[in-house]
mmCIF file of all heavy atoms in Angstrom:
data_model
loop_
_atom_site.group_PDB
_atom_site.id
_atom_site.type_symbol
_atom_site.label_atom_id
_atom_site.label_comp_id
_atom_site.label_asym_id
_atom_site.label_seq_id
_atom_site.Cartn_x
_atom_site.Cartn_y
_atom_site.Cartn_z
ATOM 1 N N HIS A 22 -9.053 -24.966 76.290
ATOM 2 C CA HIS A 22 -7.693 -25.079 75.818
ATOM 3 C C HIS A 22 -6.867 -26.037 76.673
ATOM 4 O O HIS A 22 -5.659 -25.899 76.775
ATOM 5 C CB HIS A 22 -7.031 -23.721 75.756
ATOM 6 C CG HIS A 22 -7.697 -22.796 74.805
ATOM 7 N ND1 HIS A 22 -8.277 -21.621 75.208
ATOM 8 C CD2 HIS A 22 -7.900 -22.869 73.477
ATOM 9 C CE1 HIS A 22 -8.787 -21.027 74.153
ATOM 10 N NE2 HIS A 22 -8.590 -21.766 73.101
ATOM 11 N N LYS A 23 -7.559 -27.009 77.246
ATOM 12 C CA LYS A 23 -6.871 -27.966 78.120
ATOM 13 C C LYS A 23 -5.841 -28.780 77.354
ATOM 14 O O LYS A 23 -4.732 -29.002 77.837
ATOM 15 C CB LYS A 23 -7.883 -28.879 78.792
ATOM 16 C CG LYS A 23 -8.772 -28.154 79.779
ATOM 17 C CD LYS A 23 -9.826 -29.050 80.372
ATOM 18 C CE LYS A 23 -10.763 -28.228 81.226
ATOM 19 N NZ LYS A 23 -11.926 -28.965 81.636
ATOM 20 N N ASN A 24 -6.186 -29.260 76.156
ATOM 21 C CA ASN A 24 -5.238 -30.051 75.360
ATOM 22 C C ASN A 24 -4.023 -29.227 74.964
ATOM 23 O O ASN A 24 -2.909 -29.733 74.904
ATOM 24 C CB ASN A 24 -5.911 -30.622 74.101
ATOM 25 C CG ASN A 24 -6.942 -31.680 74.451
ATOM 26 O OD1 ASN A 24 -6.872 -32.284 75.508
ATOM 27 N ND2 ASN A 24 -7.862 -31.908 73.541
ATOM 28 N N LEU A 25 -4.247 -27.966 74.671
ATOM 29 C CA LEU A 25 -3.133 -27.108 74.282
ATOM 30 C C LEU A 25 -2.155 -26.906 75.421
ATOM 31 O O LEU A 25 -0.946 -26.870 75.228
ATOM 32 C CB LEU A 25 -3.660 -25.759 73.784
ATOM 33 C CG LEU A 25 -4.483 -25.794 72.510
ATOM 34 C CD1 LEU A 25 -5.040 -24.417 72.201
ATOM 35 C CD2 LEU A 25 -3.692 -26.330 71.356
ATOM 36 N N ALA A 26 -2.691 -26.798 76.629
ATOM 37 C CA ALA A 26 -1.835 -26.603 77.797
ATOM 38 C C ALA A 26 -0.993 -27.820 78.109
ATOM 39 O O ALA A 26 0.026 -27.724 78.796
ATOM 40 C CB ALA A 26 -2.699 -26.212 79.006
ATOM 41 N N LEU A 27 -1.396 -28.976 77.613
ATOM 42 C CA LEU A 27 -0.662 -30.209 77.900
ATOM 43 C C LEU A 27 0.575 -30.386 77.020
ATOM 44 O O LEU A 27 1.233 -31.396 77.086
ATOM 45 C CB LEU A 27 -1.584 -31.411 77.741
ATOM 46 C CG LEU A 27 -2.726 -31.510 78.743
ATOM 47 C CD1 LEU A 27 -3.649 -32.678 78.413
ATOM 48 C CD2 LEU A 27 -2.184 -31.652 80.152
ATOM 49 N N GLY A 28 0.889 -29.413 76.217
ATOM 50 C CA GLY A 28 2.110 -29.473 75.444
ATOM 51 C C GLY A 28 1.959 -29.268 73.958
ATOM 52 O O GLY A 28 2.925 -28.955 73.265
ATOM 53 N N HIS A 29 0.762 -29.457 73.444
ATOM 54 C CA HIS A 29 0.560 -29.284 72.014
ATOM 55 C C HIS A 29 0.860 -27.846 71.579
ATOM 56 O O HIS A 29 1.391 -27.605 70.487
ATOM 57 C CB HIS A 29 -0.859 -29.671 71.617
ATOM 58 C CG HIS A 29 -1.152 -29.515 70.163
ATOM 59 N ND1 HIS A 29 -0.543 -30.268 69.183
ATOM 60 C CD2 HIS A 29 -1.970 -28.643 69.504
ATOM 61 C CE1 HIS A 29 -0.966 -29.878 67.994
ATOM 62 N NE2 HIS A 29 -1.828 -28.891 68.158
ATOM 63 N N TRP A 30 0.538 -26.884 72.405
ATOM 64 C CA TRP A 30 0.731 -25.482 72.060
ATOM 65 C C TRP A 30 2.183 -25.161 71.814
ATOM 66 O O TRP A 30 2.532 -24.478 70.859
ATOM 67 C CB TRP A 30 0.168 -24.587 73.178
ATOM 68 C CG TRP A 30 0.151 -23.148 72.806
ATOM 69 C CD1 TRP A 30 0.999 -22.177 73.218
ATOM 70 C CD2 TRP A 30 -0.780 -22.499 71.932
ATOM 71 N NE1 TRP A 30 0.673 -20.968 72.658
ATOM 72 C CE2 TRP A 30 -0.426 -21.143 71.867
ATOM 73 C CE3 TRP A 30 -1.876 -22.943 71.203
ATOM 74 C CZ2 TRP A 30 -1.116 -20.212 71.100
ATOM 75 C CZ3 TRP A 30 -2.578 -22.018 70.431
ATOM 76 C CH2 TRP A 30 -2.198 -20.673 70.387
ATOM 77 N N SER A 31 3.063 -25.674 72.663
ATOM 78 C CA SER A 31 4.490 -25.378 72.512
ATOM 79 C C SER A 31 5.087 -26.047 71.266
ATOM 80 O O SER A 31 6.178 -25.662 70.818
ATOM 81 C CB SER A 31 5.264 -25.781 73.751
ATOM 82 O OG SER A 31 5.168 -27.162 73.971
ATOM 83 N N GLN A 32 4.403 -27.017 70.690
ATOM 84 C CA GLN A 32 4.876 -27.675 69.469
ATOM 85 C C GLN A 32 4.472 -26.892 68.227
ATOM 86 O O GLN A 32 5.006 -27.148 67.151
ATOM 87 C CB GLN A 32 4.334 -29.094 69.406
ATOM 88 C CG GLN A 32 4.860 -29.981 70.500
ATOM 89 C CD GLN A 32 4.168 -31.334 70.543
ATOM 90 O OE1 GLN A 32 3.289 -31.614 69.722
ATOM 91 N NE2 GLN A 32 4.555 -32.175 71.474
ATOM 92 N N MET A 33 3.551 -25.957 68.365
ATOM 93 C CA MET A 33 3.117 -25.139 67.223
ATOM 94 C C MET A 33 4.150 -24.052 66.964
ATOM 95 O O MET A 33 4.855 -23.606 67.884
ATOM 96 C CB MET A 33 1.756 -24.502 67.517
ATOM 97 C CG MET A 33 0.630 -25.497 67.704
ATOM 98 S SD MET A 33 -0.873 -24.722 68.298
ATOM 99 C CE MET A 33 -1.475 -24.030 66.796
ATOM 100 N N SER A 34 4.229 -23.605 65.729
ATOM 101 C CA SER A 34 5.129 -22.506 65.398
ATOM 102 C C SER A 34 4.585 -21.209 66.008
ATOM 103 O O SER A 34 3.394 -21.103 66.344
ATOM 104 C CB SER A 34 5.262 -22.343 63.888
ATOM 105 O OG SER A 34 4.074 -21.800 63.333
ATOM 106 N N PHE A 35 5.465 -20.245 66.125
ATOM 107 C CA PHE A 35 5.058 -18.929 66.650
ATOM 108 C C PHE A 35 3.942 -18.331 65.790
ATOM 109 O O PHE A 35 2.974 -17.772 66.311
ATOM 110 C CB PHE A 35 6.265 -17.986 66.706
ATOM 111 C CG PHE A 35 5.935 -16.623 67.197
ATOM 112 C CD1 PHE A 35 5.619 -16.405 68.532
ATOM 113 C CD2 PHE A 35 5.944 -15.550 66.332
ATOM 114 C CE1 PHE A 35 5.315 -15.133 68.978
ATOM 115 C CE2 PHE A 35 5.652 -14.260 66.766
ATOM 116 C CZ PHE A 35 5.329 -14.054 68.101
ATOM 117 N N ILE A 36 4.060 -18.469 64.494
ATOM 118 C CA ILE A 36 3.052 -17.917 63.582
ATOM 119 C C ILE A 36 1.697 -18.600 63.818
ATOM 120 O O ILE A 36 0.662 -17.937 63.860
ATOM 121 C CB ILE A 36 3.498 -18.048 62.117
ATOM 122 C CG1 ILE A 36 4.648 -17.070 61.867
ATOM 123 C CG2 ILE A 36 2.354 -17.797 61.145
ATOM 124 C CD1 ILE A 36 5.275 -17.181 60.509
ATOM 125 N N GLU A 37 1.699 -19.914 63.992
ATOM 126 C CA GLU A 37 0.441 -20.639 64.256
ATOM 127 C C GLU A 37 -0.153 -20.208 65.595
ATOM 128 O O GLU A 37 -1.386 -20.040 65.715
ATOM 129 C CB GLU A 37 0.684 -22.140 64.265
ATOM 130 C CG GLU A 37 1.013 -22.712 62.905
ATOM 131 C CD GLU A 37 1.428 -24.173 62.956
ATOM 132 O OE1 GLU A 37 2.223 -24.546 63.862
ATOM 133 O OE2 GLU A 37 0.965 -24.935 62.119
ATOM 134 N N GLN A 38 0.682 -20.022 66.591
ATOM 135 C CA GLN A 38 0.196 -19.577 67.883
ATOM 136 C C GLN A 38 -0.463 -18.192 67.755
ATOM 137 O O GLN A 38 -1.571 -17.981 68.250
ATOM 138 C CB GLN A 38 1.333 -19.521 68.902
ATOM 139 C CG GLN A 38 1.855 -20.865 69.325
ATOM 140 C CD GLN A 38 3.060 -20.770 70.239
ATOM 141 O OE1 GLN A 38 3.633 -19.700 70.459
ATOM 142 N NE2 GLN A 38 3.471 -21.907 70.767
ATOM 143 N N MET A 39 0.217 -17.286 67.085
ATOM 144 C CA MET A 39 -0.313 -15.943 66.925
ATOM 145 C C MET A 39 -1.587 -15.936 66.086
ATOM 146 O O MET A 39 -2.514 -15.165 66.362
ATOM 147 C CB MET A 39 0.738 -15.024 66.297
ATOM 148 C CG MET A 39 1.936 -14.777 67.212
ATOM 149 S SD MET A 39 1.499 -13.965 68.761
ATOM 150 C CE MET A 39 1.213 -12.296 68.178
ATOM 151 N N ALA A 40 -1.675 -16.798 65.091
ATOM 152 C CA ALA A 40 -2.890 -16.891 64.279
ATOM 153 C C ALA A 40 -4.056 -17.388 65.136
ATOM 154 O O ALA A 40 -5.188 -16.873 65.003
ATOM 155 C CB ALA A 40 -2.679 -17.837 63.100
ATOM 156 N N ASN A 41 -3.803 -18.338 66.022
ATOM 157 C CA ASN A 41 -4.873 -18.822 66.900
ATOM 158 C C ASN A 41 -5.296 -17.767 67.903
ATOM 159 O O ASN A 41 -6.494 -17.605 68.187
ATOM 160 C CB ASN A 41 -4.419 -20.108 67.618
ATOM 161 C CG ASN A 41 -4.560 -21.306 66.740
ATOM 162 O OD1 ASN A 41 -5.645 -21.804 66.507
ATOM 163 N ND2 ASN A 41 -3.442 -21.780 66.217
ATOM 164 N N ILE A 42 -4.341 -17.027 68.420
ATOM 165 C CA ILE A 42 -4.686 -15.912 69.307
ATOM 166 C C ILE A 42 -5.527 -14.901 68.524
ATOM 167 O O ILE A 42 -6.558 -14.415 69.020
ATOM 168 C CB ILE A 42 -3.411 -15.231 69.862
ATOM 169 C CG1 ILE A 42 -2.672 -16.183 70.800
ATOM 170 C CG2 ILE A 42 -3.759 -13.929 70.577
ATOM 171 C CD1 ILE A 42 -1.254 -15.747 71.139
ATOM 172 N N GLY A 43 -5.113 -14.614 67.305
ATOM 173 C CA GLY A 43 -5.837 -13.688 66.466
ATOM 174 C C GLY A 43 -7.279 -14.117 66.198
ATOM 175 O O GLY A 43 -8.178 -13.306 66.169
ATOM 176 N N SER A 44 -7.481 -15.401 66.037
ATOM 177 C CA SER A 44 -8.835 -15.918 65.820
ATOM 178 C C SER A 44 -9.726 -15.637 67.030
ATOM 179 O O SER A 44 -10.895 -15.264 66.882
ATOM 180 C CB SER A 44 -8.805 -17.408 65.535
ATOM 181 O OG SER A 44 -8.172 -17.662 64.314
ATOM 182 N N GLU A 45 -9.176 -15.815 68.219
ATOM 183 C CA GLU A 45 -9.968 -15.531 69.430
ATOM 184 C C GLU A 45 -10.222 -14.044 69.582
ATOM 185 O O GLU A 45 -11.324 -13.637 69.968
ATOM 186 C CB GLU A 45 -9.266 -16.077 70.672
ATOM 187 C CG GLU A 45 -9.272 -17.581 70.781
ATOM 188 C CD GLU A 45 -10.660 -18.210 70.881
ATOM 189 O OE1 GLU A 45 -11.655 -17.522 71.189
ATOM 190 O OE2 GLU A 45 -10.743 -19.431 70.643
ATOM 191 N N VAL A 46 -9.233 -13.229 69.265
ATOM 192 C CA VAL A 46 -9.427 -11.772 69.339
ATOM 193 C C VAL A 46 -10.483 -11.346 68.307
ATOM 194 O O VAL A 46 -11.348 -10.517 68.605
ATOM 195 C CB VAL A 46 -8.104 -11.005 69.137
ATOM 196 C CG1 VAL A 46 -8.337 -9.504 68.983
ATOM 197 C CG2 VAL A 46 -7.155 -11.299 70.280
ATOM 198 N N GLU A 47 -10.440 -11.933 67.118
ATOM 199 C CA GLU A 47 -11.454 -11.657 66.100
ATOM 200 C C GLU A 47 -12.853 -11.997 66.612
ATOM 201 O O GLU A 47 -13.807 -11.240 66.425
ATOM 202 C CB GLU A 47 -11.182 -12.452 64.831
ATOM 203 C CG GLU A 47 -9.978 -12.010 64.048
ATOM 204 C CD GLU A 47 -10.316 -11.071 62.896
ATOM 205 O OE1 GLU A 47 -11.513 -10.994 62.543
ATOM 206 O OE2 GLU A 47 -9.401 -10.448 62.390
ATOM 207 N N ARG A 48 -12.976 -13.141 67.263
ATOM 208 C CA ARG A 48 -14.276 -13.530 67.834
ATOM 209 C C ARG A 48 -14.729 -12.502 68.871
ATOM 210 O O ARG A 48 -15.907 -12.117 68.887
ATOM 211 C CB ARG A 48 -14.188 -14.929 68.462
ATOM 212 C CG ARG A 48 -14.156 -16.033 67.481
ATOM 213 C CD ARG A 48 -14.182 -17.407 68.174
ATOM 214 N NE ARG A 48 -13.879 -18.438 67.235
ATOM 215 C CZ ARG A 48 -12.692 -18.975 67.003
ATOM 216 N NH1 ARG A 48 -11.645 -18.586 67.715
ATOM 217 N NH2 ARG A 48 -12.512 -19.914 66.102
ATOM 218 N N ALA A 49 -13.805 -12.099 69.726
ATOM 219 C CA ALA A 49 -14.163 -11.103 70.738
ATOM 220 C C ALA A 49 -14.611 -9.801 70.101
ATOM 221 O O ALA A 49 -15.613 -9.195 70.523
ATOM 222 C CB ALA A 49 -12.971 -10.873 71.677
ATOM 223 N N LEU A 50 -13.902 -9.372 69.065
ATOM 224 C CA LEU A 50 -14.287 -8.141 68.369
ATOM 225 C C LEU A 50 -15.644 -8.280 67.706
ATOM 226 O O LEU A 50 -16.462 -7.356 67.731
ATOM 227 C CB LEU A 50 -13.224 -7.784 67.315
ATOM 228 C CG LEU A 50 -11.856 -7.338 67.846
ATOM 229 C CD1 LEU A 50 -10.848 -7.258 66.722
ATOM 230 C CD2 LEU A 50 -11.977 -6.011 68.586
ATOM 231 N N ASN A 51 -15.912 -9.434 67.090
ATOM 232 C CA ASN A 51 -17.197 -9.669 66.437
ATOM 233 C C ASN A 51 -18.335 -9.637 67.451
ATOM 234 O O ASN A 51 -19.384 -9.027 67.197
ATOM 235 C CB ASN A 51 -17.203 -10.996 65.693
ATOM 236 C CG ASN A 51 -16.321 -10.967 64.465
ATOM 237 O OD1 ASN A 51 -15.991 -9.905 63.932
ATOM 238 N ND2 ASN A 51 -15.898 -12.147 63.996
ATOM 239 N N TRP A 52 -18.121 -10.269 68.620
ATOM 240 C CA TRP A 52 -19.167 -10.274 69.629
ATOM 241 C C TRP A 52 -19.346 -8.905 70.256
ATOM 242 O O TRP A 52 -20.458 -8.497 70.569
ATOM 243 C CB TRP A 52 -18.897 -11.332 70.701
ATOM 244 C CG TRP A 52 -19.119 -12.711 70.197
ATOM 245 C CD1 TRP A 52 -18.201 -13.713 70.091
ATOM 246 C CD2 TRP A 52 -20.358 -13.275 69.725
ATOM 247 N NE1 TRP A 52 -18.783 -14.847 69.568
ATOM 248 C CE2 TRP A 52 -20.104 -14.603 69.340
ATOM 249 C CE3 TRP A 52 -21.644 -12.768 69.561
ATOM 250 C CZ2 TRP A 52 -21.082 -15.431 68.821
ATOM 251 C CZ3 TRP A 52 -22.632 -13.596 69.037
ATOM 252 C CH2 TRP A 52 -22.350 -14.906 68.668
ATOM 253 N N LYS A 53 -18.260 -8.162 70.379
ATOM 254 C CA LYS A 53 -18.368 -6.784 70.890
ATOM 255 C C LYS A 53 -19.201 -5.933 69.942
ATOM 256 O O LYS A 53 -20.040 -5.158 70.388
ATOM 257 C CB LYS A 53 -16.967 -6.188 71.072
ATOM 258 C CG LYS A 53 -16.972 -4.808 71.667
ATOM 259 C CD LYS A 53 -15.580 -4.296 71.904
ATOM 260 C CE LYS A 53 -15.674 -2.912 72.526
ATOM 261 N NZ LYS A 53 -14.372 -2.382 72.881
ATOM 262 N N ALA A 54 -18.972 -6.090 68.652
ATOM 263 C CA ALA A 54 -19.728 -5.321 67.647
ATOM 264 C C ALA A 54 -21.204 -5.689 67.673
ATOM 265 O O ALA A 54 -22.065 -4.863 67.359
ATOM 266 C CB ALA A 54 -19.153 -5.560 66.244
ATOM 267 N N LYS A 55 -21.516 -6.931 68.059
ATOM 268 C CA LYS A 55 -22.896 -7.388 68.140
ATOM 269 C C LYS A 55 -23.504 -7.113 69.515
ATOM 270 O O LYS A 55 -24.639 -7.514 69.799
ATOM 271 C CB LYS A 55 -22.986 -8.876 67.839
ATOM 272 C CG LYS A 55 -22.634 -9.204 66.417
ATOM 273 C CD LYS A 55 -22.673 -10.710 66.171
ATOM 274 C CE LYS A 55 -22.255 -11.020 64.746
ATOM 275 N NZ LYS A 55 -22.244 -12.452 64.470
ATOM 276 N N HIS A 56 -22.755 -6.447 70.382
ATOM 277 C CA HIS A 56 -23.182 -6.062 71.723
ATOM 278 C C HIS A 56 -23.541 -7.276 72.586
ATOM 279 O O HIS A 56 -24.464 -7.223 73.409
ATOM 280 C CB HIS A 56 -24.350 -5.081 71.665
ATOM 281 C CG HIS A 56 -24.063 -3.864 70.850
ATOM 282 N ND1 HIS A 56 -23.184 -2.882 71.270
ATOM 283 C CD2 HIS A 56 -24.465 -3.502 69.628
ATOM 284 C CE1 HIS A 56 -23.094 -1.963 70.336
ATOM 285 N NE2 HIS A 56 -23.858 -2.300 69.320
ATOM 286 N N ASN A 57 -22.812 -8.367 72.384
ATOM 287 C CA ASN A 57 -22.994 -9.566 73.200
ATOM 288 C C ASN A 57 -21.811 -9.654 74.148
ATOM 289 O O ASN A 57 -20.784 -10.257 73.839
ATOM 290 C CB ASN A 57 -23.099 -10.812 72.319
ATOM 291 C CG ASN A 57 -23.489 -12.033 73.117
ATOM 292 O OD1 ASN A 57 -23.096 -12.196 74.255
ATOM 293 N ND2 ASN A 57 -24.267 -12.917 72.503
ATOM 294 N N SER A 58 -21.956 -9.021 75.306
ATOM 295 C CA SER A 58 -20.818 -8.896 76.222
ATOM 296 C C SER A 58 -20.405 -10.235 76.814
ATOM 297 O O SER A 58 -19.209 -10.428 77.097
ATOM 298 C CB SER A 58 -21.150 -7.900 77.344
ATOM 299 O OG SER A 58 -22.288 -8.307 78.061
ATOM 300 N N ALA A 59 -21.325 -11.163 76.995
ATOM 301 C CA ALA A 59 -20.967 -12.460 77.568
ATOM 302 C C ALA A 59 -20.058 -13.245 76.637
ATOM 303 O O ALA A 59 -18.999 -13.754 77.053
ATOM 304 C CB ALA A 59 -22.230 -13.282 77.869
ATOM 305 N N TYR A 60 -20.415 -13.335 75.373
ATOM 306 C CA TYR A 60 -19.597 -14.060 74.407
ATOM 307 C C TYR A 60 -18.281 -13.329 74.121
ATOM 308 O O TYR A 60 -17.246 -13.944 73.913
ATOM 309 C CB TYR A 60 -20.351 -14.305 73.111
ATOM 310 C CG TYR A 60 -21.396 -15.409 73.177
ATOM 311 C CD1 TYR A 60 -22.165 -15.706 72.082
ATOM 312 C CD2 TYR A 60 -21.591 -16.141 74.338
ATOM 313 C CE1 TYR A 60 -23.127 -16.719 72.119
ATOM 314 C CE2 TYR A 60 -22.537 -17.147 74.393
ATOM 315 C CZ TYR A 60 -23.301 -17.424 73.292
ATOM 316 O OH TYR A 60 -24.244 -18.428 73.345
ATOM 317 N N CYS A 61 -18.347 -12.006 74.116
ATOM 318 C CA CYS A 61 -17.142 -11.199 73.938
ATOM 319 C C CYS A 61 -16.161 -11.497 75.079
ATOM 320 O O CYS A 61 -14.965 -11.719 74.837
ATOM 321 C CB CYS A 61 -17.493 -9.716 73.916
ATOM 322 S SG CYS A 61 -16.051 -8.625 73.815
ATOM 323 N N GLN A 62 -16.660 -11.534 76.289
ATOM 324 C CA GLN A 62 -15.820 -11.799 77.458
ATOM 325 C C GLN A 62 -15.199 -13.191 77.375
ATOM 326 O O GLN A 62 -14.015 -13.376 77.680
ATOM 327 C CB GLN A 62 -16.640 -11.653 78.746
ATOM 328 C CG GLN A 62 -15.871 -11.896 80.012
ATOM 329 C CD GLN A 62 -14.868 -10.813 80.329
ATOM 330 O OE1 GLN A 62 -15.004 -9.673 79.897
ATOM 331 N NE2 GLN A 62 -13.843 -11.155 81.072
ATOM 332 N N GLN A 63 -15.974 -14.177 76.956
ATOM 333 C CA GLN A 63 -15.459 -15.542 76.839
ATOM 334 C C GLN A 63 -14.338 -15.626 75.817
ATOM 335 O O GLN A 63 -13.289 -16.239 76.048
ATOM 336 C CB GLN A 63 -16.586 -16.509 76.485
ATOM 337 C CG GLN A 63 -17.578 -16.715 77.593
ATOM 338 C CD GLN A 63 -18.794 -17.517 77.139
ATOM 339 O OE1 GLN A 63 -18.864 -17.964 75.995
ATOM 340 N NE2 GLN A 63 -19.762 -17.680 78.044
ATOM 341 N N ALA A 64 -14.530 -15.014 74.664
ATOM 342 C CA ALA A 64 -13.499 -15.022 73.614
ATOM 343 C C ALA A 64 -12.263 -14.250 74.075
ATOM 344 O O ALA A 64 -11.131 -14.664 73.830
ATOM 345 C CB ALA A 64 -14.045 -14.449 72.311
ATOM 346 N N PHE A 65 -12.489 -13.134 74.741
ATOM 347 C CA PHE A 65 -11.378 -12.348 75.289
ATOM 348 C C PHE A 65 -10.556 -13.192 76.294
ATOM 349 O O PHE A 65 -9.333 -13.213 76.224
ATOM 350 C CB PHE A 65 -11.940 -11.098 75.968
ATOM 351 C CG PHE A 65 -10.984 -10.402 76.875
ATOM 352 C CD1 PHE A 65 -9.890 -9.711 76.373
ATOM 353 C CD2 PHE A 65 -11.175 -10.430 78.243
ATOM 354 C CE1 PHE A 65 -9.011 -9.069 77.215
ATOM 355 C CE2 PHE A 65 -10.298 -9.796 79.097
ATOM 356 C CZ PHE A 65 -9.204 -9.112 78.573
ATOM 357 N N GLU A 66 -11.242 -13.892 77.174
ATOM 358 C CA GLU A 66 -10.538 -14.736 78.165
ATOM 359 C C GLU A 66 -9.777 -15.870 77.485
ATOM 360 O O GLU A 66 -8.657 -16.196 77.900
ATOM 361 C CB GLU A 66 -11.524 -15.270 79.192
ATOM 362 C CG GLU A 66 -12.032 -14.197 80.130
ATOM 363 C CD GLU A 66 -13.149 -14.679 81.064
ATOM 364 O OE1 GLU A 66 -13.506 -15.874 81.027
ATOM 365 O OE2 GLU A 66 -13.643 -13.834 81.821
ATOM 366 N N ARG A 67 -10.361 -16.464 76.437
ATOM 367 C CA ARG A 67 -9.650 -17.520 75.707
ATOM 368 C C ARG A 67 -8.397 -16.959 75.045
ATOM 369 O O ARG A 67 -7.342 -17.603 75.028
ATOM 370 C CB ARG A 67 -10.562 -18.170 74.670
ATOM 371 C CG ARG A 67 -11.594 -19.102 75.285
ATOM 372 C CD ARG A 67 -12.315 -19.929 74.221
ATOM 373 N NE ARG A 67 -12.938 -19.140 73.181
ATOM 374 C CZ ARG A 67 -14.183 -18.688 73.193
ATOM 375 N NH1 ARG A 67 -14.962 -18.947 74.225
ATOM 376 N NH2 ARG A 67 -14.672 -17.983 72.182
ATOM 377 N N SER A 68 -8.500 -15.731 74.512
ATOM 378 C CA SER A 68 -7.318 -15.127 73.884
ATOM 379 C C SER A 68 -6.210 -14.915 74.922
ATOM 380 O O SER A 68 -5.043 -15.141 74.638
ATOM 381 C CB SER A 68 -7.668 -13.818 73.179
ATOM 382 O OG SER A 68 -7.938 -12.770 74.086
#
């Protein structure tokens, strides 16, 4: 998320930001359900 930290993130609407956070949380939940703790942790950290 290096590009996002450079200012692009703050240009997104609140809804877009929350949707992107939700996508990462969804990934973490999917990996948790598949018992892949490494990928779950990575998605959780990105969220």
Side-chain angles (χ1 to χ4, degrees):
H22 298 118
K23 293 176 186 171
N24 291 337
L25 295 176
L27 294 175
H29 179 67
W30 189 256
S31 61
Q32 295 172 0
M33 296 171 79
S34 72
F35 179 71
I36 290 174
E37 290 172 317
Q38 290 175 352
M39 293 299 285
N41 280 285
I42 293 166
S44 293
E45 289 298 343
V46 171
E47 290 262 346
R48 285 184 192 95
L50 292 170
N51 290 340
W52 287 118
K53 183 176 181 176
K55 293 178 183 179
H56 305 289
N57 188 324
S58 59
Y60 284 178
C61 176
Q62 181 70 24
Q63 290 171 3
F65 164 71
E66 289 173 2
R67 286 190 305 269
S68 73

